[in-house]
Amino acid sequence: MQIRMLGPFEVRADDGASADVPGARLRGLLIALALEPGHVVPKGTLVDWIWGEHPPSDAANALQRLASRLRKVLPDGVVDGQTNGYRLRVDPDAVDAVRFERLIVQARKDDDPRLLREALALWRGAAMQDVDLRDSEALVAAVTRLDRFPATPREISSRSSTHNATPRTQPPVKARHDHLM
């Protein structure tokens, strides 16, 4: 399964078929889990992601219903419920945002412009651009972190000229996310 959030939100099964994840809250839940692949995300953290400062009075039950809905649209066994939270069972590189951050860190460590270009090629538009969770400070923080992740045009340019390579992609759009604020 592939989860793409560096641009339009998209989920693809292993066979390439698109998985429809309808609604901002369901997408928010998937994103919160996907940014921590293989790790249990505590229920309180997930409630903050989805509802922010205005959780429903029965937040635990509302979260459980959302997780149940998410299980129905994703392949069997991908969403794992634990007593203290939920875990998404996917390879970290199956999540474009996680892969992007890993590639940027590795590109710097190895001084490798090819990895930098590979990371930047993952961007297809503004991060999480079609997930509208206005009350979610966690979502806004994640978008801001990705948009500001240090891979500047100057860095790309200097690394490319140092290695006589021409970047094939543009740097990620430092898009404003006014719709989230």
Side-chain angles (χ1 to χ4, degrees):
M1 185 171 82
Q2 296 288 317
I3 301 167
R4 299 176 73 186
M5 60 185 83
L6 298 178
F9 184 80
E10 182 179 45
V11 178
R12 297 234 172 243
D14 289 336
D15 65 1
S18 180
D20 184 30
V21 181
R25 288 184 180 141
L26 204 57
R27 287 177 177 197
L29 174 58
L30 180 53
I31 288 171
L33 294 171
L35 289 174
E36 298 290 336
H39 299 280
V40 174
V41 180
K43 291 177 182 177
T45 300
L46 295 172
V47 168
D48 287 344
W49 257 88
I50 298 161
W51 290 284
E53 298 284 323
H54 309 290
S57 59
D58 63 342
N61 288 333
L63 178 60
Q64 186 176 17
R65 287 190 300 273
L66 272 179
S68 177
R69 286 180 45 212
L70 188 58
R71 283 187 181 109
K72 291 176 183 175
V73 300
L74 298 179
D76 286 341
V78 172
V79 178
D80 181 27
Q82 302 288 314
T83 54
N84 60 335
Y86 293 91
R87 171 179 37 211
L88 191 67
R89 293 177 178 262
V90 296
D91 183 277
D93 274 354
V95 181
D96 65 354
V98 174
R99 185 169 182 223
F100 167 76
E101 290 179 327
R102 182 187 62 76
L103 286 169
I104 292 291
V105 168
Q106 192 65 45
R108 286 205 175 113
K109 179 180 172 206
D110 297 346
D111 193 30
D112 187 342
R114 182 189 57 79
L115 291 176
L116 186 60
R117 286 190 303 272
E118 184 180 340
L120 295 174
L122 294 170
W123 285 80
R124 301 168 296 116
M128 302 174 223
Q129 69 185 25
D130 50 1
V131 179
D132 187 12
L133 290 173
R134 294 180 193 276
D135 293 333
S136 177
E137 289 180 22
L139 179 71
V140 171
V143 167
T144 301
R145 184 184 85 235
L146 287 166
D147 277 351
R148 293 185 180 162
F149 204 86
T152 65
R154 170 187 262 163
E155 178 181 25
I156 295 161
S157 172
S158 70
R159 286 178 185 242
S160 295
S161 64
T162 301
H163 296 279
N164 296 322
T166 304
R168 292 182 301 222
T169 61
Q170 297 296 316
V173 177
K174 302 293 186 216
R176 295 179 56 110
H177 296 278
D178 294 336
H179 67 283
L180 294 174
M181 298 180 196

